[in-house]
Amino acid sequence: MGIQVFGTPVSRGVAIGRAVLVASSRVDVAHYFVPADRLEHEINRLRNARDAVAAELEALQRDMPGDAPGELSALLDVHLMLLHDETLSGATKVWILERHYNAEWALSAQLEVLARQFDEMEDEYLRERKADVEQVVERLLRFLSRKGGDGAAPPLAGAVTGARDFAGEDPLVLVANDVAPADMMQFKRSVFTGFVTDVGGKNSHTAIVARSMDIPAVVGAREASRLIRQDDWLVIDGDAGIVIVNPSPIVLEEYRFRQRQSELERARLHRLRHTPAVTLDGQAVELLANIELPGDAAGAVEAGAVGVGLFRSEFLFMNRNGDLPDEEEQFEAYRDAVVAMQGLPVTIRTVDIGADKPLDRGGAQESRHEHALNPALGLRAIRWSLSEPGMFRQQLRAILRASAFGKVRILVPMVAHLNEIRLTLDALARARQQLDDNGRPYGPVEVGAMIEIPAAAVMIERFLAHFDFVSIGTNDLIQYTLAIDRADEAVSHLYDPWHPAVLSLIAQTIARANARGRGVSVCGEMAGDPAFTDLLLAMGLRSFSMHPARIASIKQRVLRADTRRLEAALDKVLGAEDPAAEAARRFSQPS
Ligand code: PEP
Ligand code: MG
C-alpha cells in the first residue's frame, strides 16, 4: 500500500499529487511554471548562470594569492567540475523541459535529489561532498535572483504561479521540513493542492495559513521530507493526519472516491452561504471571517461572512526584504479591505509581530527577537508595538483613516497589564490628535482587546471597563494556560482545548462580557471547528470568527442547534472529568 507517514492533521480533506520537495532555506526561491514557448529562454537563463558562476570561480582561482593553501584551489576545481557535471546541469534541464519548472525551482528540485544520493553514500569523504553541491547551487541561485538570470526581474519569490499550458500536468503537493508563516503566504495563491511538513503544531501560524487556504495539510510528520522523494505520488489524508507514499492502485481509488465525496459535501455546504445563521430557537449568530491580507476580503463576502472579525495585519509586514509598509501603504491596504467588505464591519488587529512571526527587518528589533530566549513569552504583539511608539501610532493613524470608508474596529493583541491598556489608549488619542492637526478625516472606531493571556481572562471585569468589546484568542489562551508551545510538535499532544482550565476561562470571559452588554467573540481556531460550536453556543457566544472556508460548516451546526437545550447541559460538561466525552454525550445533534 506504500509507506505511511503520520503527523498532525491541520486542514481537512484529501489531496493526491506528486511531491515537490523544498528545502526550508530554499522555500523563498521563485517557483513558477514556464510556458512552452519560453522553455528555450529558461534553459538559456540556466546556461547564463552556469557560465557566469564558472567565470566567477575561475577568477577566484586566478586571483588566489601565491601563499594560499593548495586545498583551496583543489576545492574550486571540484566546484567547477560539479557545475558542469551532467547530474546537475543535464538533470536540471530535464526538470525544465519535462515539468516546465523555472530554472530556480528546477535547480532546487535537482539539489534535493542529489543531496539524498550523497546522504546515502557509505564513504564519508564522498558524503561530505554534498556541501559542495549545495554551495554550487547556492551560487547559481544567487546569480539567478540577482539578475533574474537574464536581466529581467524574477517573479515573486516562493510563489508558484504561471501558465500551466503543457499536457499531462499532475497536481503537486509541497513537502518541506518546515515552512515559516511568511513563506506560507507566498504559497497562498499557488498551485499546490496539499502540504506536508516535518515540524509544526496544529495551531502554529503555518498551520493556520494552510487552513485558510482550505487545502489538505499534515504537519509534524517528522520524517516526511526524508522518506519522501522528489516526484513520489502522495496521498495526504488531512482528516486523519496520514501521508501515503506511492499508494497502490486500490488505495488510490479509495482516496479518489473520498475526494469526490468531500467535493460534493463542499458544494452542498456552499449553498448555505446566504442563509442567515439562526439557531432552532431563534438566536441570531454572527459568523465573521479571519483574513490575512486585504485580498482575502472578497472571499470572505463570497463565503457569507457578515464582517471581518480578525484581520491579522502583521502579514502586511512580511516578505518585504526589510522594507516595511509606511502609513500610506497601510492605509490603502486597510481601506481596500473595508471597501471590499461592502459596509460590513472590519476588525483590524494591530500587529502581532514576534514568536513564530518574526519581523522581516534588519536592525535592532530583529536581533533582539533572534536573541529572545523564548520568543512566545518575549517581545510580541502589543508589547512590541508599545516598544516602537512611532510605528504603533503610524499603524493607528492608518487604521483610523480607513474608518472614513466603512465600519472599522481596532483589536489589540496579547494585552495582560492595565498599564498596557492605558498606554494603548494614550497612543490612540495621540494618533487621533495628529490626524485632527492635519485635517485628515476618520470615523468612529470601537476598540477591543484580545483575551489570550490567562491574566486577561482572570481580570476580565477590569478589561471590560476599558474596552468596547473583547475577542477571545483561544490559540494563545490554550498555549499560555497550559504552557504548551503551539508551534512545537513535540508537545502538540498536550495542546488540549478541552482542558477544564481553558474551558473555564473561556466560559467566564463570555459570561462576564454578556452580563455587561459588551461584544464578545472567539477568533481562535476553536471558532471554526464544528466540534466546539455547541459548547461555545452553550456558553452564550453569539459571535464566531474563522477562516472563510469554515463558515458553511459552522453555519450548519448553528442551524441545527437549540441553545436552551445546550445551556441546560453546560454545567455538567464544564464539571465533568472528561468534558469532551460529556459534551459528545449531551450536545449530540441530529445528523
Ligand atoms: C489566537 O491566539 O487565538 C488568535 C486568534 O491569534 P493568533 O492565532 O494570530 O495568535
Ligand atoms: Mg493570538
Side-chain angles (χ1 to χ4, degrees), residues 205 291-292 308-318 325 330 334 346-354 357 359 379-401 408-416 420-421 423-429 431-432 445-452 467 469 471 476 523:
H205 284 93
I291 65 171
E292 276 93 36
V308 169
L310 173 65
F311 178 169
R312 288 184 163 99
S313 69
E314 58 276 10
F315 282 91
L316 290 175
F317 290 63
M318 297 180 184
Q330 287 189 58
Y334 306 142
V346 178
T347 311
I348 302 172
R349 178 172 76 181
T350 59
V351 287
D352 186 357
I353 287 297
K357 291 177 290 190
L359 185 60
L379 197 63
R380 207 197 129 176
I382 190 63
R383 304 170 182 181
W384 186 89
S385 292
L386 292 175
S387 77
E388 289 275 332
M391 279 186 55
F392 189 34
R393 278 198 306 277
Q394 186 182 58
Q395 176 168 41
L396 293 172
R397 288 195 302 272
I399 299 176
L400 286 168
R401 286 172 57 196
V408 171
R409 312 197 303 170
I410 294 179
L411 183 58
V412 191
M414 263 192 91
V415 198
E420 288 165 339
I421 300 179
L423 290 172
T424 301
L425 297 178
D426 283 354
L428 193 59
R432 282 196 177 101
V445 169
E446 288 190 351
V447 186
M450 291 210 47
I451 304 299
E452 49 185 351
F467 289 103
F469 68 98
S471 186
D476 279 316
C523 61

Side-chain angles (χ1 to χ4, degrees), residues 22-31 107-108 111-112 134-135 137-138 141 158:
V22 184
S24 305
S25 59
R26 280 178 209 93
V27 172
D28 62 349
V29 154
H31 293 68
L107 268 170
S108 38
L111 175 61
E112 279 295 321
E134 285 175 340
Q135 284 165 16
V137 171
E138 276 316 325
L141 289 173

